[in-house]
Amino acid sequence: MTDERSPAVIAAEARTSAARQRLFGTIDEIQARLDPLALAANAVENVAATIAINSIETVKARPRVTATAAAAAILFLARKPIGRLLSRGARHATATAAASLNSKSSKRSSKKD
């Protein structure tokens, strides 16, 4: 048995082999696109871009509301340090006032004697 094939058969086998390679390449590409991690990353990227665009449009449309919301958020996040600062000031003011009252009352009592 000799391996004598006609040129048409050889060409058909070459086309078949090329088609098979293209098919396997397409299947690999589809599998890569349908990978759950790739799908999740693509979805996160799309959502993040949409949120960023919508946020920018909202800030441009309502700058005062945005500034007010930002200031409220900053005050909320800094509420403990601000509270400590205010309570120190109140304690200092109270202590100073009490000391000045004590000194005035001691002067009055010494004048009465």
Side-chain angles (χ1 to χ4, degrees), residues 75-76 78-95:
L75 287 174
F76 177 76
R79 69 187 182 277
K80 287 185 180 181
I82 291 171
R84 284 192 299 263
L85 183 67
L86 293 175
S87 68
R88 283 184 197 151
R91 279 191 302 228
H92 177 70
T94 306

Side-chain angles (χ1 to χ4, degrees), residues 100-113:
S100 68
L101 289 176
N102 288 337
S103 65
K104 287 179 184 177
S105 63
S106 65
K107 287 180 186 177
R108 287 182 190 157
S109 64
S110 65
K111 286 183 182 179
K112 289 181 183 179
D113 291 334

Side-chain angles (χ1 to χ4, degrees), residues 23-91:
L23 177 65
F24 289 147
T26 303
I27 289 172
D28 289 341
E29 185 179 328
I30 290 171
Q31 284 178 335
R33 285 185 182 179
L34 294 178
D35 179 45
L37 292 176
L39 288 173
N42 192 15
V44 167
E45 185 178 306
N46 289 340
V47 168
T50 303
I51 289 173
I53 290 170
N54 290 342
S55 298
I56 291 170
E57 289 174 359
T58 302
V59 168
K60 286 181 180 178
R62 299 184 183 118
R64 287 183 180 158
V65 172
T66 305
T68 303
I74 290 170
L75 287 174
F76 177 76
L77 293 174
R79 69 187 182 277
K80 287 185 180 181
I82 291 171
R84 284 192 299 263
L85 183 67
L86 293 175
S87 68
R88 283 184 197 151
R91 279 191 302 228

